[in-house]
Amino acid sequence: MRTNAMNRFGVRKRALLAGALGVLTAAATLVAPSPATAAENTLGAAAAQSGRYFGTAIASGRLNDSAYTTIASREFNMVTAENEMKIDATEPQRGQFNFSSGDRVYNWAVQNGKRVRGHTLAWHSQQPGWMQSLSGGSLRQAMIDHINGVMAHYKGKIAQWDVVNEAFADGNSGGRRDSNLQRTGNDWIEVAFRTARAADPSAKLCYNDYNIENWSWAKTQGVYAMVRDFKQRGVPIDCVGFQSHFNSGSPYNSNFRTTLQSFAALGVDVAITELDIQGATASTYASVTNDCLAVSRCLGITVWGVRDTDSWRSEQTPLLFDGNGSKKAAYTSVLNALNGTSSPPTGSGETIKGVGSGRCLDVPNAGTADGTQIQLWDCHGGTNQQWTATSAGELRVYGDKCLDAAGTGNGARVQIYSCWGGDNQKWRLNSDGSIVGVQSGLCLDAAGTGNGAQIQLYSCWNGSNQLWSRA
């Protein structure tokens, strides 16, 4: 703990950190970036502020549509070929590869300053007839040859490959899909990944699937168990793609963030790869975006199409632009979230990171007892680091515990306590990144930068140990 106001960080520099992320009012989430990086006016540029991308699926047949390409070129900084790099498109006859359509998408993307995701190398669907007729060892070898052929053509050019797509069954089994590839042996996914790593060591290798966003679903748990096993055994998997086709049959659930965090904790990156939302509900789009932003290993978001009329589910109007190419309310909600100016969905939590330390506000050992003093700890996104700003000015954790000041003077401990509405449990979240106790007028202050550093109240001076951002 400090013995005076000067001895922990040397001479206190009172200037704000130019790059520090700020926070919003008490009713909003801790997401506002500094004025120097705020208010980008395209999705790709706004996502790039946090080191992420915001991409779209591109169809080669629409590249002659100037309205389509104008939006795509302006807004997105990652491209996925919608169908042009799938098996039937790239190897229509065994051993005879055709990359004309895939190259058209790739070349357009590169010429417009965008990176490319590869989709997809091994899949039970969209197989050409010759592959559908194979089985057993012959099919296994055809899969290996296909991966080698496609990845050799694009070697060093693709940021991420969806190596295997949709290999798990729907429903409650949590098991593999019964496909011709699965019938070649349960190790086929592992073989695909090992083949892909050897073919292009520079590409991130992803497993991609749908209906694995809800943490409570058996399919999600089945994929999680596979990824955990792969990481434990050294199978080369780098990322997991969550297609995120949200609709009435598979609705968005607020535990999606838990899913992303849980997979990331296994040591893989995560990505939202084919996002579309029935009705394009603005709040749901914002929630999904904030979920990605809350997980440090979330690489970015790809929407599956540009305009509603380009969508494979056009009747659900699921995208960010309508058929005329006009921005919808969902577009604004996503852009605001990426720029750090949106409110979280009710009840969602955010991690709060110290600018000076890079560590998060943490309840030690995930304790729940009243009076447990808050500390700094490496950010991991667990429930003991998830804080929800309420309209009453509280910062809640676990739903019913409040960030609580145990006094009003310098050095007063900051702890968790059952929420009761007192002014010592209310906080002003200021645009400069400080968090000020309503009762005391003092700032939330970290008494160090390492794991276990205690959180207290102290006179506000705009030091980096008193500036906070969303992790």
Side-chain angles (χ1 to χ4, degrees):
M1 296 296 287
R2 112 171 59 217
T3 58
N4 59 59
M6 305 289 289
N7 67 354
R8 290 179 303 127
F9 294 96
V11 177
R12 292 200 177 229
K13 297 180 180 179
R14 294 184 177 273
L16 286 172
L17 264 66
L21 296 180
V23 291
L24 296 181
T25 62
T29 187
L30 303 165
V31 294
S34 69
T37 58
E40 292 288 354
N41 59 10
T42 66
L43 300 170
Q49 295 176 114
S50 64
R52 293 170 174 82
Y53 61 80
F54 203 98
T56 190
I58 291 292
S60 62
R62 293 190 172 92
L63 289 177
N64 292 325
D65 181 339
S66 62
Y68 177 90
T69 56
T70 296
I71 296 170
S73 178
R74 180 188 72 224
E75 294 290 341
F76 305 104
N77 57 357
M78 181 72 83
V79 160
T80 303
E82 189 166 350
N83 290 292
E84 291 79 358
M85 293 185 185
K86 292 176 180 174
I87 308 168
D88 55 354
T90 52
E91 195 178 359
Q93 301 297 325
R94 187 169 189 177
Q96 298 178 19
F97 290 89
N98 184 341
F99 299 107
S100 57
S101 294
D103 285 352
R104 188 177 184 207
V105 173
Y106 175 84
N107 291 335
W108 179 88
V110 172
Q111 289 162 10
N112 285 276
K114 304 172 195 318
R115 293 182 294 155
V116 179
R117 294 190 77 255
H119 177 77
T120 177
L121 296 169
W123 190 24
H124 70 276
S125 185
Q126 289 187 240
Q127 295 177 359
W130 67 265
M131 182 174 280
Q132 295 176 38
S133 69
L134 301 178
S135 62
S138 181
L139 176 59
R140 174 68 65 87
Q141 189 60 50
M143 178 193 76
I144 292 170
D145 293 344
H146 179 79
I147 293 171
N148 282 325
V150 175
M151 293 190 77
H153 180 77
Y154 291 108
K155 187 173 183 178
K157 299 178 179 179
I158 299 294
Q160 307 164 29
W161 268 111
D162 290 333
V163 177
V164 173
N165 198 46
E166 301 176 0
F168 277 73
D170 294 318
N172 296 322
S173 73
R176 300 280 186 88
R177 179 190 297 273
D178 179 24
S179 69
N180 60 349
L181 291 168
Q182 178 64 27
R183 290 191 292 273
T184 69
N186 201 55
D187 65 338
W188 75 273
I189 300 177
E190 177 177 344
V191 169
F193 275 91
R194 293 193 184 280
T195 302
R197 174 65 88 231
D200 186 355
S202 67
K204 285 186 181 290
L205 307 181
C206 305
Y207 176 78
N208 192 57
D209 216 327
Y210 66 94
N211 284 358
I212 60 169
E213 296 80 19
N214 189 319
W215 181 243
S216 68
W217 286 5
K219 186 175 182 180
T220 307
Q221 294 301 314
V223 174
Y224 177 84
M226 179 190 73
V227 175
R228 181 179 57 197
D229 172 63
F230 279 8
K231 294 300 293 183
Q232 289 173 344
R233 294 192 296 110
V235 179
I237 183 170
D238 302 312
C239 49
V240 176
F242 300 82
Q243 293 184 14
S244 304
H245 297 296
F246 295 117
N247 54 66
S248 56
S250 179
Y252 169 80
N253 188 292
S254 60
N255 70 21
F256 184 32
R257 186 174 305 188
T258 298
T259 303
L260 295 176
Q261 291 167 335
S262 298
F263 275 86
L266 293 176
V268 293
D269 294 327
V270 293
I272 297 168
T273 55
E274 303 181 21
L275 178 64
D276 49 31
I277 299 172
Q278 183 175 355
T281 309
S283 60
T284 306
Y285 260 108
S287 296
V288 173
T289 304
N290 280 320
D291 289 342
C292 178
L293 291 170
V295 179
S296 62
R297 296 197 71 152
C298 185
L299 300 170
I301 298 170
T302 297
V303 288
W304 205 244
V306 177
R307 305 162 298 192
D308 284 338
T309 46
D310 306 315
S311 170
W312 69 306
R313 290 177 165 172
S314 58
E315 75 284 355
Q316 295 183 0
T317 60
L319 296 175
L320 301 176
F321 296 86
D322 66 21
N324 296 319
S326 299
K327 298 171 183 176
K328 297 159 68 172
Y331 172 94
T332 303
S333 73
V334 169
L335 187 64
N336 285 344
L338 293 171
N339 276 324
T341 55
S342 68
S343 298
T346 302
S348 80
E350 301 283 350
T351 48
I352 303 175
K353 183 167 67 175
V355 169
S357 66
R359 293 185 166 89
C360 282
L361 288 186
D362 177 280
V363 184
N365 302 313
T368 59
D370 286 348
T372 302
Q373 187 169 7
I374 303 305
Q375 63 179 6
L376 290 179
W377 200 264
D378 291 337
C379 301
H380 55 72
T383 56
N384 63 320
Q385 293 186 350
Q386 294 287 319
W387 301 90
T388 298
T390 73
S391 58
E394 302 160 329
L395 284 169
R396 291 191 174 218
V397 67
Y398 309 135
D400 61 352
K401 298 290 184 180
C402 276
L403 194 69
D404 179 290
T408 57
N410 281 341
R413 60 190 280 127
V414 175
Q415 58 192 9
I416 60 167
Y417 211 88
S418 298
C419 299
W420 65 280
D423 284 347
N424 68 315
Q425 295 186 342
K426 295 180 180 178
W427 306 87
R428 292 195 305 271
L429 313 183
N430 299 318
S431 60
D432 66 1
S434 62
I435 301 177
V436 176
V438 168
Q439 183 184 61
S440 66
L442 302 180
C443 275
L444 199 68
D445 178 288
T449 58
N451 280 335
Q454 300 294 289
I455 305 301
Q456 60 187 6
L457 294 179
Y458 213 86
S459 298
C460 301
W461 67 280
N462 292 328
S464 63
N465 67 310
Q466 293 184 346
L467 297 179
W468 306 90
S469 71
R470 192 213 47 194

